[in-house]
Amino acid sequence: MSSGSISRMKVLSLYRQLIRESQKFTSYNFRNYALRRIRDSFRDNKALNDSALIESQLQFGQKNLEMIRRQVLVSQLYQTDKLVIEQSGSSQSP
């Protein structure tokens, strides 16, 4: 395997991990914010060619992954009521 395909595999793996962890947020707002930021960041950096810069961004992503894991844990400790947008449609009156 070439170094390009290895770094591509690392990037895709990190992307999947970030998305999965962000979906665990109990708060609708935090969850959607994290998902939007992840997608936007990866989209903005998809044209990077410099291996040092790619490695730097991968390390930054790993730090953010650990931060998201900590924040998900904290958010699960302090549950809040669901927002109206998260409520199921069947429980609403006509």
Side-chain angles (χ1 to χ4, degrees):
M1 277 189 181
S2 68
S3 64
S5 65
I6 291 172
S7 67
R8 179 174 168 79
M9 288 176 14
K10 284 182 184 179
V11 169
L12 290 174
S13 174
L14 178 62
Y15 180 76
R16 284 187 211 109
Q17 289 175 351
L18 285 163
I19 294 292
R20 280 189 199 118
E21 286 300 316
S22 295
Q23 290 173 337
K24 294 179 184 177
F25 274 113
T26 57
S27 169
Y28 173 84
N29 289 328
F30 285 139
R31 185 172 52 248
N32 283 327
Y33 175 76
L35 291 169
R36 187 174 57 248
R37 290 285 297 162
I38 291 165
R39 289 181 183 123
D40 289 347
S41 295
F42 275 81
R43 191 177 303 119
D44 291 344
N45 290 311
K46 75 178 182 180
L48 292 180
N49 292 324
D50 182 17
S51 60
L53 191 55
I54 292 171
E55 191 61 37
S56 169
Q57 291 296 325
L58 281 171
Q59 290 174 359
F60 180 70
Q62 284 292 338
K63 289 178 184 177
N64 279 314
L65 177 60
E66 293 305 315
M67 186 265 311
I68 288 171
R69 286 181 175 150
R70 288 190 304 270
Q71 288 304 117
V72 164
L73 180 64
V74 170
S75 76
Q76 290 171 349
L77 292 174
Y78 301 100
Q79 295 284 326
T80 59
D81 294 334
K82 289 190 175 209
L83 299 175
V84 172
I85 198 165
E86 296 177 285
Q87 304 288 334
S88 65
S90 61
S91 65
Q92 296 177 354
S93 61

